[in-house]
Amino acid sequence: MLKQISIYAENKKGCLQNITGILCQNGINILGSVTNDSAEYGIIRMVVSDPEKCIEVLQGAGYLCKTTPVLAVECQDEVGALDKILKTLFSSNINVNYTYLSFNRESARPIMVISTDDIKAVENILVNRGYNCI
């Protein structure tokens, strides 16, 4: 289980770069991210190398942030890999809120970051089906 940082930010020019600049200045590596926008505000979701420090420096810069647990599942780099994971979860009656892609630097394989209401149950299901959860 990973800690994901959700950052609520104004949807304006330079805002995302300001956030990435703060992280860069503080030695925090972004391991995976997804950005969702609306007319005025957006949500930037990230898995980072140091979640506690990330929250500290971004809140210090005036950003509203929170952490939520997510699951990272290593998958094959092939057509249908995400579909197989989702079929496994669907057959177990699990709802997936959202996913985004990251990369395992050690194994050189894609990682799907998954948000769901029951991280522990999903992890057990996937591990029992032979998946590597990080």
Side-chain angles (χ1 to χ4, degrees), residues 98-118:
Y98 57 84
T99 67
Y100 56 95
L101 189 62
S102 185
F103 183 75
N104 186 335
R105 285 142 180 90
E106 293 175 15
S107 69
R109 287 194 166 167
I111 296 172
M112 291 309 305
V113 177
I114 298 174
S115 170
T116 184
D117 294 333
D118 193 344

PDB file of all heavy atoms in Angstrom, residues 98-118:
ATOM      1  N   TYR A  98     -10.271   4.878  -9.716  1.00  0.00           N
ATOM      2  CA  TYR A  98      -9.448   5.383 -10.815  1.00  0.00           C
ATOM      3  C   TYR A  98      -8.110   4.660 -10.805  1.00  0.00           C
ATOM      4  O   TYR A  98      -7.739   4.015  -9.833  1.00  0.00           O
ATOM      5  CB  TYR A  98      -9.254   6.907 -10.753  1.00  0.00           C
ATOM      6  CG  TYR A  98      -8.654   7.408  -9.466  1.00  0.00           C
ATOM      7  CD1 TYR A  98      -7.280   7.425  -9.254  1.00  0.00           C
ATOM      8  CD2 TYR A  98      -9.477   7.877  -8.442  1.00  0.00           C
ATOM      9  CE1 TYR A  98      -6.745   7.874  -8.069  1.00  0.00           C
ATOM     10  CE2 TYR A  98      -8.937   8.334  -7.253  1.00  0.00           C
ATOM     11  CZ  TYR A  98      -7.570   8.336  -7.076  1.00  0.00           C
ATOM     12  OH  TYR A  98      -7.039   8.780  -5.895  1.00  0.00           O
ATOM     13  N   THR A  99      -7.401   4.783 -11.922  1.00  0.00           N
ATOM     14  CA  THR A  99      -6.052   4.207 -12.048  1.00  0.00           C
ATOM     15  C   THR A  99      -5.159   5.226 -12.743  1.00  0.00           C
ATOM     16  O   THR A  99      -5.646   6.136 -13.426  1.00  0.00           O
ATOM     17  CB  THR A  99      -6.041   2.917 -12.903  1.00  0.00           C
ATOM     18  OG1 THR A  99      -6.356   3.241 -14.242  1.00  0.00           O
ATOM     19  CG2 THR A  99      -6.987   1.881 -12.363  1.00  0.00           C
ATOM     20  N   TYR A 100      -3.880   5.059 -12.566  1.00  0.00           N
ATOM     21  CA  TYR A 100      -2.902   5.766 -13.383  1.00  0.00           C
ATOM     22  C   TYR A 100      -1.619   4.968 -13.413  1.00  0.00           C
ATOM     23  O   TYR A 100      -1.418   4.054 -12.615  1.00  0.00           O
ATOM     24  CB  TYR A 100      -2.682   7.223 -12.960  1.00  0.00           C
ATOM     25  CG  TYR A 100      -2.284   7.480 -11.528  1.00  0.00           C
ATOM     26  CD1 TYR A 100      -0.951   7.623 -11.160  1.00  0.00           C
ATOM     27  CD2 TYR A 100      -3.257   7.637 -10.542  1.00  0.00           C
ATOM     28  CE1 TYR A 100      -0.595   7.895  -9.855  1.00  0.00           C
ATOM     29  CE2 TYR A 100      -2.907   7.921  -9.237  1.00  0.00           C
ATOM     30  CZ  TYR A 100      -1.565   8.048  -8.903  1.00  0.00           C
ATOM     31  OH  TYR A 100      -1.221   8.327  -7.604  1.00  0.00           O
ATOM     32  N   LEU A 101      -0.775   5.294 -14.349  1.00  0.00           N
ATOM     33  CA  LEU A 101       0.409   4.498 -14.630  1.00  0.00           C
ATOM     34  C   LEU A 101       1.648   5.064 -13.964  1.00  0.00           C
ATOM     35  O   LEU A 101       1.836   6.279 -13.879  1.00  0.00           O
ATOM     36  CB  LEU A 101       0.625   4.451 -16.145  1.00  0.00           C
ATOM     37  CG  LEU A 101       1.684   3.512 -16.677  1.00  0.00           C
ATOM     38  CD1 LEU A 101       1.352   2.071 -16.342  1.00  0.00           C
ATOM     39  CD2 LEU A 101       1.814   3.683 -18.173  1.00  0.00           C
ATOM     40  N   SER A 102       2.491   4.161 -13.504  1.00  0.00           N
ATOM     41  CA  SER A 102       3.820   4.498 -13.007  1.00  0.00           C
ATOM     42  C   SER A 102       4.774   3.460 -13.574  1.00  0.00           C
ATOM     43  O   SER A 102       4.402   2.711 -14.486  1.00  0.00           O
ATOM     44  CB  SER A 102       3.824   4.508 -11.475  1.00  0.00           C
ATOM     45  OG  SER A 102       5.082   4.944 -10.998  1.00  0.00           O
ATOM     46  N   PHE A 103       5.966   3.386 -13.017  1.00  0.00           N
ATOM     47  CA  PHE A 103       6.996   2.510 -13.579  1.00  0.00           C
ATOM     48  C   PHE A 103       7.883   2.012 -12.456  1.00  0.00           C
ATOM     49  O   PHE A 103       8.341   2.799 -11.616  1.00  0.00           O
ATOM     50  CB  PHE A 103       7.815   3.321 -14.601  1.00  0.00           C
ATOM     51  CG  PHE A 103       8.855   2.539 -15.319  1.00  0.00           C
ATOM     52  CD1 PHE A 103       8.509   1.658 -16.319  1.00  0.00           C
ATOM     53  CD2 PHE A 103      10.193   2.693 -15.006  1.00  0.00           C
ATOM     54  CE1 PHE A 103       9.477   0.935 -16.997  1.00  0.00           C
ATOM     55  CE2 PHE A 103      11.171   1.982 -15.674  1.00  0.00           C
ATOM     56  CZ  PHE A 103      10.804   1.105 -16.676  1.00  0.00           C
ATOM     57  N   ASN A 104       8.114   0.717 -12.393  1.00  0.00           N
ATOM     58  CA  ASN A 104       9.002   0.136 -11.399  1.00  0.00           C
ATOM     59  C   ASN A 104      10.426   0.209 -11.935  1.00  0.00           C
ATOM     60  O   ASN A 104      10.782  -0.503 -12.872  1.00  0.00           O
ATOM     61  CB  ASN A 104       8.606  -1.312 -11.101  1.00  0.00           C
ATOM     62  CG  ASN A 104       9.399  -1.912  -9.972  1.00  0.00           C
ATOM     63  OD1 ASN A 104      10.513  -1.498  -9.673  1.00  0.00           O
ATOM     64  ND2 ASN A 104       8.819  -2.906  -9.325  1.00  0.00           N
ATOM     65  N   ARG A 105      11.215   1.058 -11.348  1.00  0.00           N
ATOM     66  CA  ARG A 105      12.581   1.253 -11.825  1.00  0.00           C
ATOM     67  C   ARG A 105      13.461   0.025 -11.613  1.00  0.00           C
ATOM     68  O   ARG A 105      14.453  -0.166 -12.307  1.00  0.00           O
ATOM     69  CB  ARG A 105      13.188   2.479 -11.158  1.00  0.00           C
ATOM     70  CG  ARG A 105      12.625   3.766 -11.743  1.00  0.00           C
ATOM     71  CD  ARG A 105      12.424   4.821 -10.669  1.00  0.00           C
ATOM     72  NE  ARG A 105      11.895   6.057 -11.219  1.00  0.00           N
ATOM     73  CZ  ARG A 105      10.610   6.323 -11.333  1.00  0.00           C
ATOM     74  NH1 ARG A 105       9.713   5.437 -10.975  1.00  0.00           N
ATOM     75  NH2 ARG A 105      10.195   7.476 -11.818  1.00  0.00           N
ATOM     76  N   GLU A 106      13.122  -0.819 -10.640  1.00  0.00           N
ATOM     77  CA  GLU A 106      13.922  -2.024 -10.370  1.00  0.00           C
ATOM     78  C   GLU A 106      13.642  -3.138 -11.372  1.00  0.00           C
ATOM     79  O   GLU A 106      14.550  -3.795 -11.845  1.00  0.00           O
ATOM     80  CB  GLU A 106      13.659  -2.504  -8.951  1.00  0.00           C
ATOM     81  CG  GLU A 106      14.175  -1.540  -7.894  1.00  0.00           C
ATOM     82  CD  GLU A 106      13.794  -1.961  -6.490  1.00  0.00           C
ATOM     83  OE1 GLU A 106      13.381  -3.122  -6.285  1.00  0.00           O
ATOM     84  OE2 GLU A 106      13.918  -1.113  -5.588  1.00  0.00           O
ATOM     85  N   SER A 107      12.364  -3.358 -11.680  1.00  0.00           N
ATOM     86  CA  SER A 107      12.013  -4.464 -12.578  1.00  0.00           C
ATOM     87  C   SER A 107      11.804  -4.008 -14.021  1.00  0.00           C
ATOM     88  O   SER A 107      11.651  -4.842 -14.900  1.00  0.00           O
ATOM     89  CB  SER A 107      10.735  -5.153 -12.093  1.00  0.00           C
ATOM     90  OG  SER A 107       9.618  -4.294 -12.255  1.00  0.00           O
ATOM     91  N   ALA A 108      11.774  -2.701 -14.249  1.00  0.00           N
ATOM     92  CA  ALA A 108      11.521  -2.118 -15.576  1.00  0.00           C
ATOM     93  C   ALA A 108      10.143  -2.507 -16.119  1.00  0.00           C
ATOM     94  O   ALA A 108       9.955  -2.660 -17.318  1.00  0.00           O
ATOM     95  CB  ALA A 108      12.621  -2.490 -16.565  1.00  0.00           C
ATOM     96  N   ARG A 109       9.172  -2.652 -15.209  1.00  0.00           N
ATOM     97  CA  ARG A 109       7.805  -2.990 -15.609  1.00  0.00           C
ATOM     98  C   ARG A 109       6.847  -1.866 -15.250  1.00  0.00           C
ATOM     99  O   ARG A 109       7.063  -1.125 -14.299  1.00  0.00           O
ATOM    100  CB  ARG A 109       7.343  -4.255 -14.902  1.00  0.00           C
ATOM    101  CG  ARG A 109       7.985  -5.489 -15.434  1.00  0.00           C
ATOM    102  CD  ARG A 109       7.245  -6.673 -14.939  1.00  0.00           C
ATOM    103  NE  ARG A 109       7.645  -7.840 -15.693  1.00  0.00           N
ATOM    104  CZ  ARG A 109       7.357  -9.050 -15.324  1.00  0.00           C
ATOM    105  NH1 ARG A 109       6.675  -9.272 -14.228  1.00  0.00           N
ATOM    106  NH2 ARG A 109       7.734 -10.072 -16.057  1.00  0.00           N
ATOM    107  N   PRO A 110       5.758  -1.768 -15.998  1.00  0.00           N
ATOM    108  CA  PRO A 110       4.732  -0.790 -15.653  1.00  0.00           C
ATOM    109  C   PRO A 110       4.074  -1.143 -14.312  1.00  0.00           C
ATOM    110  O   PRO A 110       3.993  -2.316 -13.941  1.00  0.00           O
ATOM    111  CB  PRO A 110       3.704  -0.914 -16.777  1.00  0.00           C
ATOM    112  CG  PRO A 110       4.361  -1.699 -17.851  1.00  0.00           C
ATOM    113  CD  PRO A 110       5.433  -2.519 -17.206  1.00  0.00           C
ATOM    114  N   ILE A 111       3.607  -0.128 -13.632  1.00  0.00           N
ATOM    115  CA  ILE A 111       2.858  -0.297 -12.394  1.00  0.00           C
ATOM    116  C   ILE A 111       1.551   0.472 -12.549  1.00  0.00           C
ATOM    117  O   ILE A 111       1.560   1.646 -12.912  1.00  0.00           O
ATOM    118  CB  ILE A 111       3.625   0.273 -11.186  1.00  0.00           C
ATOM    119  CG1 ILE A 111       4.909  -0.498 -10.958  1.00  0.00           C
ATOM    120  CG2 ILE A 111       2.759   0.259  -9.934  1.00  0.00           C
ATOM    121  CD1 ILE A 111       5.794   0.125  -9.901  1.00  0.00           C
ATOM    122  N   MET A 112       0.457  -0.199 -12.268  1.00  0.00           N
ATOM    123  CA  MET A 112      -0.834   0.477 -12.235  1.00  0.00           C
ATOM    124  C   MET A 112      -1.109   0.892 -10.796  1.00  0.00           C
ATOM    125  O   MET A 112      -1.091   0.056  -9.895  1.00  0.00           O
ATOM    126  CB  MET A 112      -1.956  -0.438 -12.736  1.00  0.00           C
ATOM    127  CG  MET A 112      -1.891  -0.746 -14.205  1.00  0.00           C
ATOM    128  SD  MET A 112      -1.728   0.691 -15.309  1.00  0.00           S
ATOM    129  CE  MET A 112      -3.119   1.692 -14.846  1.00  0.00           C
ATOM    130  N   VAL A 113      -1.320   2.176 -10.592  1.00  0.00           N
ATOM    131  CA  VAL A 113      -1.725   2.685  -9.285  1.00  0.00           C
ATOM    132  C   VAL A 113      -3.248   2.640  -9.281  1.00  0.00           C
ATOM    133  O   VAL A 113      -3.891   3.162 -10.192  1.00  0.00           O
ATOM    134  CB  VAL A 113      -1.199   4.113  -9.050  1.00  0.00           C
ATOM    135  CG1 VAL A 113      -1.691   4.648  -7.713  1.00  0.00           C
ATOM    136  CG2 VAL A 113       0.325   4.143  -9.126  1.00  0.00           C
ATOM    137  N   ILE A 114      -3.806   1.996  -8.271  1.00  0.00           N
ATOM    138  CA  ILE A 114      -5.249   1.754  -8.226  1.00  0.00           C
ATOM    139  C   ILE A 114      -5.833   2.352  -6.956  1.00  0.00           C
ATOM    140  O   ILE A 114      -5.326   2.121  -5.859  1.00  0.00           O
ATOM    141  CB  ILE A 114      -5.552   0.239  -8.270  1.00  0.00           C
ATOM    142  CG1 ILE A 114      -5.036  -0.361  -9.579  1.00  0.00           C
ATOM    143  CG2 ILE A 114      -7.044  -0.023  -8.088  1.00  0.00           C
ATOM    144  CD1 ILE A 114      -5.163  -1.870  -9.642  1.00  0.00           C
ATOM    145  N   SER A 115      -6.911   3.102  -7.131  1.00  0.00           N
ATOM    146  CA  SER A 115      -7.685   3.602  -5.995  1.00  0.00           C
ATOM    147  C   SER A 115      -8.983   2.813  -5.922  1.00  0.00           C
ATOM    148  O   SER A 115      -9.711   2.686  -6.913  1.00  0.00           O
ATOM    149  CB  SER A 115      -8.013   5.083  -6.174  1.00  0.00           C
ATOM    150  OG  SER A 115      -8.942   5.495  -5.193  1.00  0.00           O
ATOM    151  N   THR A 116      -9.233   2.275  -4.751  1.00  0.00           N
ATOM    152  CA  THR A 116     -10.447   1.513  -4.508  1.00  0.00           C
ATOM    153  C   THR A 116     -10.833   1.683  -3.047  1.00  0.00           C
ATOM    154  O   THR A 116     -10.018   2.132  -2.242  1.00  0.00           O
ATOM    155  CB  THR A 116     -10.249   0.025  -4.884  1.00  0.00           C
ATOM    156  OG1 THR A 116     -11.461  -0.672  -4.723  1.00  0.00           O
ATOM    157  CG2 THR A 116      -9.160  -0.610  -4.069  1.00  0.00           C
ATOM    158  N   ASP A 117     -12.041   1.319  -2.710  1.00  0.00           N
ATOM    159  CA  ASP A 117     -12.517   1.527  -1.339  1.00  0.00           C
ATOM    160  C   ASP A 117     -11.924   0.538  -0.347  1.00  0.00           C
ATOM    161  O   ASP A 117     -11.898   0.814   0.846  1.00  0.00           O
ATOM    162  CB  ASP A 117     -14.047   1.452  -1.294  1.00  0.00           C
ATOM    163  CG  ASP A 117     -14.687   2.593  -2.062  1.00  0.00           C
ATOM    164  OD1 ASP A 117     -14.053   3.666  -2.168  1.00  0.00           O
ATOM    165  OD2 ASP A 117     -15.813   2.415  -2.551  1.00  0.00           O
ATOM    166  N   ASP A 118     -11.438  -0.607  -0.796  1.00  0.00           N
ATOM    167  CA  ASP A 118     -10.902  -1.609   0.117  1.00  0.00           C
ATOM    168  C   ASP A 118      -9.546  -2.096  -0.385  1.00  0.00           C
ATOM    169  O   ASP A 118      -9.439  -3.143  -1.031  1.00  0.00           O
ATOM    170  CB  ASP A 118     -11.882  -2.774   0.268  1.00  0.00           C
ATOM    171  CG  ASP A 118     -11.541  -3.679   1.434  1.00  0.00           C
ATOM    172  OD1 ASP A 118     -10.396  -3.612   1.950  1.00  0.00           O
ATOM    173  OD2 ASP A 118     -12.414  -4.461   1.825  1.00  0.00           O
TER     174      ASP A 118
END
